[in-house]
Amino acid sequence: MGRTTYYTNSPEIASICFAEGDYWAKIINKDHPLYQIKEPMAGVFLSDSNTEAWSVVHKYLAPALSPKAVRHYTPQMQETAELSFKVFDELDEKEEAWNVYQYMFKMGSTAIGKLALGIDLHHFDSVDAPLHELVVKVGVNLELNKKISTRGDWYSHLPFGEPKQLKDTKNRLGQLIGEAMENAKKDGAEDLPIAEAALKADCIADYLARAIDPDGNKMPEKYRTPATLVAVGAGFVTTASLLSWLVFGLVQYPGNQERLLQELIDYGVHDRTTWTPDLANALPFLDNYIKETQRLHNPSYQPGRTALSDTILPGGYKVPKDSVMIVAIHHIHNNPSVWDDPHKFNPDRWSSDAAKNRPKGSYVPFAAGPRMCIGFNFALQEVRVVLSELIYRYEFSKASEEEVEYDPSFQLIRPMNLFVRAKRRTTWPEKKEDKKVEA
Protein backbone atom coordinates (compact mmCIF):
# COMPACT_ATOMS: atom_id res chain seq x y z
CA MET A 1 0.00 0.00 0.00
CA GLY A 2 2.97 2.30 -0.59
CA ARG A 3 4.22 2.12 2.98
CA THR A 4 7.45 0.74 4.45
CA THR A 5 7.65 -0.19 8.12
CA TYR A 6 10.59 -1.70 9.98
CA TYR A 7 10.28 -4.29 12.73
CA THR A 8 12.75 -5.51 15.33
CA ASN A 9 12.95 -8.35 17.83
CA SER A 10 16.32 -7.13 19.12
CA PRO A 11 16.41 -5.91 22.74
CA GLU A 12 19.42 -3.75 21.88
CA ILE A 13 17.68 -1.96 19.01
CA ALA A 14 14.47 -1.67 21.05
CA SER A 15 16.40 0.08 23.82
CA ILE A 16 17.95 2.54 21.36
CA CYS A 17 14.60 3.43 19.82
CA PHE A 18 12.74 3.71 23.13
CA ALA A 19 15.45 5.96 24.58
CA GLU A 20 14.58 8.60 21.95
CA GLY A 21 17.08 11.52 21.90
CA ASP A 22 18.79 12.85 18.78
CA TYR A 23 17.99 9.93 16.48
CA TRP A 24 14.61 8.51 17.52
CA ALA A 25 11.35 9.88 18.93
CA LYS A 26 7.67 9.10 18.99
CA ILE A 27 6.60 11.04 15.91
CA ILE A 28 3.23 9.79 14.67
CA ASN A 29 3.59 10.28 10.91
CA LYS A 30 1.42 8.66 8.22
CA ASP A 31 3.39 5.38 8.48
CA HIS A 32 2.84 5.09 12.23
CA PRO A 33 0.15 2.60 13.41
CA LEU A 34 -1.54 5.29 15.55
CA TYR A 35 -1.76 7.87 12.78
CA GLN A 36 -5.55 7.75 12.31
CA ILE A 37 -6.27 8.47 15.98
CA LYS A 38 -3.42 10.91 16.51
CA GLU A 39 -4.45 13.68 18.89
CA PRO A 40 -1.88 16.51 18.92
CA MET A 41 -3.40 18.12 22.03
CA ALA A 42 -3.50 14.93 24.13
CA GLY A 43 0.13 15.20 25.21
CA VAL A 44 0.49 11.50 26.01
CA PHE A 45 0.24 8.35 23.90
CA LEU A 46 -1.32 9.98 20.82
CA SER A 47 0.90 13.03 20.31
CA ASP A 48 4.46 13.66 19.17
CA SER A 49 7.40 13.91 21.55
CA ASN A 50 8.77 17.19 20.18
CA THR A 51 5.70 19.26 21.10
CA GLU A 52 4.65 21.64 23.84
CA ALA A 53 1.58 19.45 24.40
CA TRP A 54 3.69 16.48 25.45
CA SER A 55 5.93 18.38 27.86
CA VAL A 56 3.04 20.30 29.46
CA VAL A 57 0.60 17.40 29.78
CA HIS A 58 3.28 15.02 31.01
CA LYS A 59 4.28 17.52 33.70
CA TYR A 60 0.77 17.51 35.13
CA LEU A 61 -0.46 13.99 34.38
CA ALA A 62 2.56 11.92 35.43
CA PRO A 63 2.32 12.85 39.16
CA ALA A 64 -1.34 11.75 39.20
CA LEU A 65 -0.27 8.26 38.10
CA SER A 66 2.92 7.93 40.13
CA PRO A 67 3.33 4.95 42.51
CA LYS A 68 2.63 7.20 45.51
CA ALA A 69 -0.52 8.67 43.96
CA VAL A 70 -1.81 5.29 42.77
CA ARG A 71 -1.67 3.95 46.33
CA HIS A 72 -4.65 6.01 47.41
CA TYR A 73 -6.81 4.53 44.63
CA THR A 74 -6.41 0.98 45.99
CA PRO A 75 -9.82 1.04 47.78
CA GLN A 76 -11.46 1.96 44.45
CA MET A 77 -9.82 -1.07 42.83
CA GLN A 78 -11.16 -3.39 45.52
CA GLU A 79 -14.61 -1.82 45.21
CA THR A 80 -14.56 -2.45 41.45
CA ALA A 81 -13.85 -6.15 42.00
CA GLU A 82 -16.56 -6.41 44.64
CA LEU A 83 -19.13 -4.76 42.34
CA SER A 84 -18.71 -7.71 39.98
CA PHE A 85 -19.49 -10.35 42.61
CA LYS A 86 -23.25 -9.98 42.25
CA VAL A 87 -23.03 -10.71 38.54
CA PHE A 88 -20.56 -13.60 38.75
CA ASP A 89 -22.50 -15.15 41.66
CA GLU A 90 -25.68 -15.06 39.57
CA LEU A 91 -23.93 -16.65 36.61
CA ASP A 92 -22.60 -19.37 38.92
CA GLU A 93 -26.05 -20.06 40.35
CA LYS A 94 -27.35 -20.47 36.79
CA GLU A 95 -24.32 -22.67 35.95
CA GLU A 96 -23.59 -20.40 33.00
CA ALA A 97 -20.23 -19.78 31.36
CA TRP A 98 -19.28 -16.26 30.36
CA ASN A 99 -17.05 -14.52 27.87
CA VAL A 100 -13.97 -13.34 29.75
CA TYR A 101 -13.07 -10.33 27.64
CA GLN A 102 -16.60 -8.91 27.68
CA TYR A 103 -16.69 -8.87 31.47
CA MET A 104 -13.06 -7.82 31.91
CA PHE A 105 -13.87 -4.97 29.52
CA LYS A 106 -16.61 -3.98 31.95
CA MET A 107 -14.20 -4.41 34.87
CA GLY A 108 -11.40 -2.32 33.38
CA SER A 109 -13.71 0.45 32.23
CA THR A 110 -15.46 0.57 35.61
CA ALA A 111 -12.10 1.10 37.31
CA ILE A 112 -10.93 3.77 34.89
CA GLY A 113 -14.31 5.52 34.99
CA LYS A 114 -13.79 6.02 38.72
CA LEU A 115 -10.10 6.91 38.41
CA ALA A 116 -10.35 9.35 35.53
CA LEU A 117 -13.83 10.82 35.82
CA GLY A 118 -15.23 9.82 39.22
CA ILE A 119 -18.30 8.23 37.63
CA ASP A 120 -20.03 4.87 38.03
CA LEU A 121 -20.65 3.32 34.62
CA HIS A 122 -23.19 0.83 36.09
CA HIS A 123 -21.64 -2.09 34.25
CA PHE A 124 -22.36 -4.54 37.06
CA ASP A 125 -25.90 -3.51 37.92
CA SER A 126 -27.03 -6.78 36.32
CA VAL A 127 -25.70 -9.67 34.24
CA ASP A 128 -26.80 -7.97 31.02
CA ALA A 129 -26.13 -4.35 31.97
CA PRO A 130 -25.35 -2.39 28.79
CA LEU A 131 -22.00 -0.77 28.18
CA HIS A 132 -21.80 2.96 28.78
CA GLU A 133 -21.70 4.97 25.55
CA LEU A 134 -18.28 6.35 26.44
CA VAL A 135 -16.56 2.95 26.47
CA VAL A 136 -18.43 1.76 23.40
CA LYS A 137 -17.09 4.75 21.48
CA VAL A 138 -13.54 4.12 22.73
CA GLY A 139 -13.68 0.53 21.47
CA VAL A 140 -15.09 1.61 18.10
CA ASN A 141 -12.40 4.29 17.85
CA LEU A 142 -9.60 1.76 18.27
CA GLU A 143 -11.14 -0.77 15.91
CA LEU A 144 -11.74 1.74 13.13
CA ASN A 145 -8.23 3.15 13.50
CA LYS A 146 -6.67 -0.26 12.96
CA LYS A 147 -8.85 -1.00 9.92
CA ILE A 148 -8.19 2.36 8.29
CA SER A 149 -4.45 2.49 9.05
CA THR A 150 -3.85 -0.84 7.28
CA ARG A 151 -5.48 0.28 4.01
CA GLY A 152 -3.22 3.11 2.96
CA ASP A 153 -3.25 6.85 3.55
CA TRP A 154 -5.65 7.50 0.65
CA TYR A 155 -8.42 5.49 2.32
CA SER A 156 -8.45 7.69 5.43
CA HIS A 157 -9.49 10.72 3.37
CA LEU A 158 -12.72 9.23 2.04
CA PRO A 159 -15.71 11.38 3.13
CA PHE A 160 -17.93 8.37 3.76
CA GLY A 161 -17.88 4.87 5.23
CA GLU A 162 -15.40 3.91 7.95
CA PRO A 163 -13.22 7.06 7.69
CA LYS A 164 -16.26 9.28 8.27
CA GLN A 165 -17.43 7.01 11.08
CA LEU A 166 -14.03 7.38 12.78
CA LYS A 167 -14.18 11.19 12.59
CA ASP A 168 -17.73 11.21 14.00
CA THR A 169 -16.73 8.83 16.78
CA LYS A 170 -13.76 11.00 17.81
CA ASN A 171 -16.00 14.08 17.93
CA ARG A 172 -18.59 12.33 20.09
CA LEU A 173 -15.90 11.06 22.45
CA GLY A 174 -14.69 14.61 22.99
CA GLN A 175 -18.23 15.70 23.88
CA LEU A 176 -18.72 12.84 26.36
CA ILE A 177 -15.39 13.46 28.10
CA GLY A 178 -16.02 17.19 28.30
CA GLU A 179 -19.42 16.63 29.92
CA ALA A 180 -18.00 14.14 32.43
CA MET A 181 -15.14 16.48 33.37
CA GLU A 182 -17.54 19.35 33.93
CA ASN A 183 -19.64 17.15 36.24
CA ALA A 184 -16.53 16.07 38.17
CA LYS A 185 -15.64 19.63 39.19
CA LYS A 186 -16.27 20.47 42.84
CA ASP A 187 -17.68 23.85 43.74
CA GLY A 188 -15.36 25.66 46.10
CA ALA A 189 -12.58 23.04 45.93
CA GLU A 190 -9.22 24.62 46.68
CA ASP A 191 -6.33 24.60 44.25
CA LEU A 192 -3.33 22.54 45.40
CA PRO A 193 0.30 22.07 44.36
CA ILE A 194 0.71 19.22 41.86
CA ALA A 195 2.17 16.70 44.31
CA GLU A 196 -0.46 17.38 46.98
CA ALA A 197 -3.35 17.41 44.51
CA ALA A 198 -2.26 14.01 43.20
CA LEU A 199 -2.74 12.52 46.67
CA LYS A 200 -6.01 14.24 47.55
CA ALA A 201 -8.01 14.38 44.33
CA ASP A 202 -11.03 12.11 43.92
CA CYS A 203 -10.21 11.45 40.26
CA ILE A 204 -8.00 12.71 37.44
CA ALA A 205 -10.63 15.22 36.26
CA ASP A 206 -10.77 16.65 39.79
CA TYR A 207 -6.96 16.67 39.94
CA LEU A 208 -6.54 18.52 36.64
CA ALA A 209 -9.07 21.14 37.69
CA ARG A 210 -7.15 21.87 40.91
CA ALA A 211 -3.43 21.10 40.38
CA ILE A 212 -1.10 24.09 40.05
CA ASP A 213 2.61 24.14 39.24
CA PRO A 214 5.20 26.12 41.26
CA ASP A 215 4.33 29.24 39.26
CA GLY A 216 0.64 28.91 40.12
CA ASN A 217 -0.38 27.72 36.65
CA LYS A 218 -2.90 24.99 35.88
CA MET A 219 -2.82 22.72 32.86
CA PRO A 220 -4.14 24.85 29.98
CA GLU A 221 -7.81 24.21 29.27
CA LYS A 222 -7.07 23.23 25.67
CA TYR A 223 -5.16 20.14 26.85
CA ARG A 224 -7.46 18.90 29.61
CA THR A 225 -10.17 17.12 27.64
CA PRO A 226 -7.83 15.44 25.10
CA ALA A 227 -5.45 14.31 27.87
CA THR A 228 -8.29 12.88 29.94
CA LEU A 229 -9.76 11.12 26.92
CA VAL A 230 -6.47 9.36 26.24
CA ALA A 231 -6.12 8.41 29.91
CA VAL A 232 -9.57 6.82 29.74
CA GLY A 233 -9.17 5.04 26.41
CA ALA A 234 -5.62 3.79 26.85
CA GLY A 235 -6.30 2.89 30.48
CA PHE A 236 -9.19 0.49 30.41
CA VAL A 237 -8.76 -1.31 27.07
CA THR A 238 -5.22 -2.43 27.87
CA THR A 239 -6.13 -3.44 31.43
CA ALA A 240 -9.21 -5.34 30.23
CA SER A 241 -7.04 -7.27 27.78
CA LEU A 242 -4.39 -8.02 30.42
CA LEU A 243 -7.00 -9.21 32.93
CA SER A 244 -8.43 -11.48 30.23
CA TRP A 245 -5.06 -13.09 29.59
CA LEU A 246 -4.48 -13.47 33.33
CA VAL A 247 -7.75 -15.41 33.59
CA PHE A 248 -6.75 -17.39 30.49
CA GLY A 249 -3.59 -18.48 32.34
CA LEU A 250 -5.65 -19.73 35.28
CA VAL A 251 -7.56 -22.19 33.09
CA GLN A 252 -4.89 -22.97 30.50
CA TYR A 253 -1.80 -23.65 32.60
CA PRO A 254 -2.45 -26.24 35.35
CA GLY A 255 -1.35 -25.56 38.91
CA ASN A 256 -1.04 -21.78 38.77
CA GLN A 257 -4.54 -21.04 40.09
CA GLU A 258 -3.91 -23.30 43.08
CA ARG A 259 -0.52 -21.71 43.80
CA LEU A 260 -1.99 -18.20 43.62
CA LEU A 261 -4.80 -19.15 46.01
CA GLN A 262 -2.37 -20.75 48.44
CA GLU A 263 -0.22 -17.63 48.43
CA LEU A 264 -3.24 -15.49 49.28
CA ILE A 265 -4.07 -17.78 52.21
CA ASP A 266 -0.47 -17.78 53.43
CA TYR A 267 -0.44 -13.98 53.42
CA GLY A 268 -3.61 -13.85 55.51
CA VAL A 269 -6.10 -12.84 52.81
CA HIS A 270 -9.74 -13.62 53.67
CA ASP A 271 -13.22 -12.51 52.59
CA ARG A 272 -13.05 -9.37 54.75
CA THR A 273 -9.54 -8.29 53.78
CA THR A 274 -9.08 -4.60 53.12
CA TRP A 275 -6.48 -4.39 50.40
CA THR A 276 -3.53 -2.06 50.86
CA PRO A 277 -0.72 -1.27 48.43
CA ASP A 278 1.72 -3.05 50.73
CA LEU A 279 -0.30 -6.27 50.64
CA ALA A 280 -0.84 -6.11 46.87
CA ASN A 281 2.90 -5.68 46.29
CA ALA A 282 3.99 -8.33 48.80
CA LEU A 283 2.86 -11.44 46.88
CA PRO A 284 5.90 -12.84 45.02
CA PHE A 285 4.24 -15.60 43.01
CA LEU A 286 1.45 -13.24 41.94
CA ASP A 287 4.11 -10.83 40.70
CA ASN A 288 5.88 -13.62 38.77
CA TYR A 289 2.58 -14.82 37.32
CA ILE A 290 1.69 -11.35 36.03
CA LYS A 291 5.16 -10.88 34.55
CA GLU A 292 5.03 -14.22 32.76
CA THR A 293 1.57 -13.46 31.39
CA GLN A 294 2.82 -10.14 30.04
CA ARG A 295 5.85 -11.84 28.56
CA LEU A 296 3.88 -14.51 26.69
CA HIS A 297 0.47 -12.84 26.21
CA ASN A 298 1.08 -9.10 26.26
CA PRO A 299 -1.91 -7.09 24.95
CA SER A 300 0.23 -4.34 23.39
CA TYR A 301 2.45 -5.45 20.56
CA GLN A 302 3.44 -2.64 18.20
CA PRO A 303 4.83 0.55 19.79
CA GLY A 304 6.49 2.65 17.11
CA ARG A 305 9.36 5.13 17.11
CA THR A 306 10.38 7.33 14.19
CA ALA A 307 13.89 8.01 12.89
CA LEU A 308 14.80 11.70 13.12
CA SER A 309 17.62 11.29 10.60
CA ASP A 310 19.26 8.57 8.53
CA THR A 311 20.75 6.23 11.09
CA ILE A 312 22.80 3.04 11.31
CA LEU A 313 21.64 0.52 13.89
CA PRO A 314 23.61 -2.34 15.51
CA GLY A 315 24.07 -5.06 12.92
CA GLY A 316 24.73 -2.50 10.19
CA TYR A 317 21.11 -1.79 9.32
CA LYS A 318 20.57 1.59 7.68
CA VAL A 319 17.18 3.13 8.41
CA PRO A 320 16.17 6.27 6.46
CA LYS A 321 14.90 9.44 8.10
CA ASP A 322 11.17 9.44 8.95
CA SER A 323 11.00 5.63 8.93
CA VAL A 324 8.91 4.01 11.64
CA MET A 325 10.50 1.22 13.68
CA ILE A 326 7.99 -1.12 15.29
CA VAL A 327 9.33 -2.76 18.43
CA ALA A 328 7.69 -6.17 18.10
CA ILE A 329 7.06 -6.87 21.78
CA HIS A 330 5.77 -10.41 21.34
CA HIS A 331 8.81 -11.41 19.28
CA ILE A 332 11.24 -9.85 21.76
CA HIS A 333 9.51 -11.65 24.63
CA ASN A 334 9.76 -14.93 22.70
CA ASN A 335 13.25 -14.47 21.30
CA PRO A 336 15.12 -17.78 21.95
CA SER A 337 18.43 -15.95 22.02
CA VAL A 338 17.19 -14.12 25.14
CA TRP A 339 14.75 -16.51 26.84
CA ASP A 340 15.18 -20.19 27.70
CA ASP A 341 12.29 -22.27 26.34
CA PRO A 342 10.44 -19.05 25.47
CA HIS A 343 7.12 -20.64 24.46
CA LYS A 344 6.68 -22.34 27.83
CA PHE A 345 4.55 -20.54 30.42
CA ASN A 346 6.78 -20.63 33.50
CA PRO A 347 6.28 -17.99 36.21
CA ASP A 348 9.21 -19.44 38.17
CA ARG A 349 11.63 -18.24 35.49
CA TRP A 350 11.31 -14.79 37.10
CA SER A 351 13.03 -16.04 40.25
CA SER A 352 16.03 -17.34 38.26
CA ASP A 353 19.36 -15.61 37.79
CA ALA A 354 18.83 -15.68 34.01
CA ALA A 355 15.71 -13.51 34.27
CA LYS A 356 17.31 -11.17 36.77
CA ASN A 357 20.33 -10.70 34.48
CA ARG A 358 18.41 -10.49 31.20
CA PRO A 359 19.58 -7.93 28.61
CA LYS A 360 18.18 -4.42 28.74
CA GLY A 361 15.15 -4.13 26.48
CA SER A 362 14.24 -7.82 26.59
CA TYR A 363 11.09 -7.29 28.70
CA VAL A 364 9.10 -4.23 27.70
CA PRO A 365 5.38 -4.86 28.27
CA PHE A 366 4.74 -1.15 28.75
CA ALA A 367 7.44 -0.02 26.30
CA ALA A 368 10.31 1.99 27.86
CA GLY A 369 12.01 5.36 27.92
CA PRO A 370 10.36 8.78 28.24
CA ARG A 371 7.27 7.66 26.27
CA MET A 372 6.59 4.39 28.07
CA CYS A 373 3.03 3.81 29.28
CA ILE A 374 2.28 6.56 31.78
CA GLY A 375 -0.41 4.47 33.52
CA PHE A 376 1.56 1.29 34.16
CA ASN A 377 1.61 1.79 37.96
CA PHE A 378 -2.18 1.98 38.07
CA ALA A 379 -2.59 -0.96 35.69
CA LEU A 380 -0.35 -3.28 37.71
CA GLN A 381 -1.91 -2.29 41.02
CA GLU A 382 -5.38 -2.82 39.58
CA VAL A 383 -4.74 -6.30 38.19
CA ARG A 384 -3.04 -7.41 41.41
CA VAL A 385 -6.07 -6.44 43.49
CA VAL A 386 -8.80 -7.51 41.06
CA LEU A 387 -7.23 -10.86 40.15
CA SER A 388 -6.59 -11.70 43.82
CA GLU A 389 -10.19 -10.88 44.75
CA LEU A 390 -11.51 -13.06 41.94
CA ILE A 391 -9.22 -16.01 42.70
CA TYR A 392 -10.08 -15.98 46.39
CA ARG A 393 -13.83 -16.02 45.71
CA TYR A 394 -14.07 -18.23 42.58
CA GLU A 395 -12.59 -21.37 41.10
CA PHE A 396 -12.15 -20.88 37.36
CA SER A 397 -12.43 -23.59 34.72
CA LYS A 398 -12.39 -23.45 30.93
CA ALA A 399 -15.84 -23.90 29.39
CA SER A 400 -14.83 -24.45 25.76
CA GLU A 401 -12.17 -26.46 23.97
CA GLU A 402 -11.99 -24.09 20.98
CA GLU A 403 -8.67 -22.51 20.17
CA VAL A 404 -8.59 -18.97 21.50
CA GLU A 405 -9.00 -16.38 18.76
CA TYR A 406 -8.12 -12.71 18.66
CA ASP A 407 -9.31 -9.89 16.45
CA PRO A 408 -6.55 -8.81 14.03
CA SER A 409 -8.47 -5.63 13.20
CA PHE A 410 -8.19 -4.35 16.78
CA GLN A 411 -5.40 -2.22 18.24
CA LEU A 412 -4.57 -4.71 21.01
CA ILE A 413 -4.33 -8.48 21.39
CA ARG A 414 -7.33 -9.77 23.33
CA PRO A 415 -8.96 -13.23 23.56
CA MET A 416 -12.33 -12.96 21.84
CA ASN A 417 -13.86 -16.40 22.45
CA LEU A 418 -12.54 -17.41 25.87
CA PHE A 419 -15.44 -18.74 27.96
CA VAL A 420 -15.02 -19.81 31.59
CA ARG A 421 -17.09 -21.03 34.50
CA ALA A 422 -16.45 -19.23 37.79
CA LYS A 423 -17.68 -21.42 40.62
CA ARG A 424 -18.11 -19.81 44.03
CA ARG A 425 -15.65 -21.37 46.49
CA THR A 426 -16.94 -23.00 49.66
CA THR A 427 -13.63 -24.32 50.97
CA TRP A 428 -10.10 -22.96 51.05
CA PRO A 429 -6.74 -24.61 51.71
CA GLU A 430 -5.05 -24.47 55.08
CA LYS A 431 -2.36 -21.88 55.67
CA LYS A 432 1.07 -23.46 55.07
CA GLU A 433 3.29 -20.55 56.01
CA ASP A 434 2.74 -17.38 57.99
CA LYS A 435 3.81 -14.54 55.75
CA LYS A 436 4.20 -11.03 57.11
CA VAL A 437 3.54 -7.91 55.08
CA GLU A 438 6.01 -5.13 55.75
CA ALA A 439 4.60 -1.62 55.55
Side-chain angles (χ1 to χ4, degrees):
M1 305 300 289
R3 181 179 299 158
T4 300
T5 306
Y6 296 81
Y7 285 76
T8 184
N9 69 344
S10 163
E12 184 179 12
I13 291 177
S15 295
I16 291 171
C17 295
F18 280 148
E20 302 210 1
D22 294 333
Y23 296 98
W24 294 92
K26 186 169 185 175
I27 305 296
I28 305 176
N29 61 23
K30 63 182 179 61
D31 293 336
H32 196 283
L34 297 176
Y35 181 65
Q36 298 305 328
I37 54 174
K38 180 176 181 178
E39 176 48 74
M41 306 302 285
V44 292
F45 190 55
L46 297 180
S47 63
D48 296 341
S49 296
N50 58 351
T51 61
E52 177 192 75
W54 185 80
S55 60
V56 172
V57 172
H58 193 268
K59 178 179 75 170
Y60 285 92
L61 202 54
L65 294 168
S66 69
K68 192 173 182 180
V70 164
R71 291 174 67 92
H72 91 284
Y73 291 114
T74 304
Q76 286 186 13
M77 299 171 187
Q78 181 171 357
E79 179 185 348
T80 297
E82 292 173 348
L83 283 173
S84 71
F85 291 166
K86 178 179 71 172
V87 167
F88 294 146
D89 285 353
E90 182 178 339
L91 289 167
D92 177 35
E93 290 168 5
K94 295 178 178 179
E95 298 185 352
E96 289 187 12
W98 43 274
N99 184 297
V100 172
Y101 180 75
Q102 290 180 5
Y103 281 98
M104 294 304 103
F105 189 82
K106 287 186 171 185
M107 186 84 74
S109 55
T110 296
I112 207 70
K114 285 284 188 182
L115 166 74
L117 303 170
I119 60 175
D120 182 359
L121 301 180
H122 297 285
H123 284 167
F124 291 103
D125 286 358
S126 67
V127 168
D128 298 318
L131 290 171
H132 193 281
E133 183 188 5
L134 174 62
V135 301
V136 172
K137 295 296 186 186
V138 168
V140 170
N141 195 46
L142 291 172
E143 187 169 355
L144 288 173
N145 168 68
K146 185 65 183 298
K147 287 181 178 179
I148 294 170
S149 65
T150 57
R151 295 180 183 177
D153 187 48
W154 63 271
Y155 184 72
S156 68
H157 296 293
L158 294 179
F160 53 83
E162 291 172 336
K164 183 179 185 304
Q165 187 183 354
L166 178 59
K167 292 181 178 68
D168 292 343
T169 299
K170 290 172 68 175
N171 289 335
R172 178 58 179 155
L173 270 173
Q175 293 173 0
L176 291 170
I177 290 292
E179 292 169 4
M181 291 182 67
E182 192 64 32
N183 293 333
K185 290 182 179 178
K186 293 181 176 179
D187 292 335
E190 63 175 327
D191 293 341
L192 296 169
I194 287 177
E196 188 178 354
L199 302 179
K200 293 184 176 180
D202 292 336
C203 63
I204 288 178
D206 177 37
Y207 162 81
L208 291 179
R210 302 167 63 187
I212 53 175
D213 69 10
D215 296 323
N217 300 316
K218 295 184 179 182
M219 179 191 287
E221 192 73 36
K222 62 182 178 180
Y223 296 136
R224 290 187 200 174
T225 297
T228 306
L229 172 57
V230 170
V232 170
F236 79 82
V237 179
T238 50
T239 305
S241 302
L242 177 55
L243 279 169
S244 298
W245 287 118
L246 289 168
V247 174
F248 170 80
L250 300 180
V251 301
Q252 184 68 22
Y253 305 115
N256 289 286
Q257 184 171 187
E258 292 76 14
R259 288 182 66 181
L260 288 164
L261 177 62
Q262 186 65 59
E263 182 172 73
L264 293 175
I265 299 299
D266 291 345
Y267 276 82
V269 172
H270 50 77
D271 60 353
R272 296 178 304 282
T273 292
T274 297
W275 281 88
T276 65
D278 297 311
L279 174 58
N281 291 302
L283 308 170
F285 185 71
L286 175 65
D287 185 58
N288 288 348
Y289 178 79
I290 293 171
K291 286 178 178 176
E292 185 68 352
T293 300
Q294 290 192 283
R295 186 191 69 82
L296 198 56
H297 302 291
N298 201 59
S300 301
Y301 65 101
Q302 56 172 16
R305 297 294 184 268
T306 303
L308 301 179
S309 63
D310 292 352
T311 183
I312 305 294
L313 290 167
Y317 300 103
K318 181 179 180 180
V319 179
K321 180 183 178 181
D322 297 326
S323 298
V324 175
M325 176 69 73
I326 299 296
V327 178
I329 292 178
H330 179 79
H331 297 290
I332 289 178
H333 289 179
N334 286 268
N335 189 335
S337 67
V338 177
W339 303 95
D340 294 331
D341 201 2
H343 302 304
K344 180 181 180 181
F345 187 86
N346 177 23
D348 291 322
R349 75 169 72 240
W350 292 94
S351 298
S352 68
D353 289 338
K356 294 174 183 176
N357 298 318
R358 66 186 184 277
K360 181 182 178 182
S362 59
Y363 178 68
V364 285
F366 296 103
R371 295 301 300 271
M372 74 178 294
C373 175
I374 195 172
F376 79 96
N377 291 304
F378 183 86
L380 289 176
Q381 190 81 332
E382 180 186 343
V383 299
R384 288 187 187 110
V385 173
V386 170
L387 186 66
S388 296
E389 285 278 285
L390 293 177
I391 289 172
Y392 185 86
R393 190 176 181 89
Y394 303 102
E395 179 182 2
F396 290 88
S397 60
K398 198 173 182 180
S400 172
E401 294 306 316
E402 296 179 353
E403 292 292 328
V404 171
E405 299 175 354
Y406 73 96
D407 181 3
S409 68
F410 199 67
Q411 203 76 42
L412 300 168
I413 303 175
R414 52 185 181 155
M416 297 300 297
N417 62 333
L418 173 61
F419 284 81
V420 300
R421 273 290 314 277
K423 186 176 181 181
R424 180 82 181 269
R425 295 187 189 274
T426 57
T427 61
W428 290 262
E430 295 292 326
K431 180 183 287 191
K432 290 183 179 179
E433 301 178 59
D434 189 16
K435 303 288 188 180
K436 302 295 184 183
V437 177
E438 295 183 2

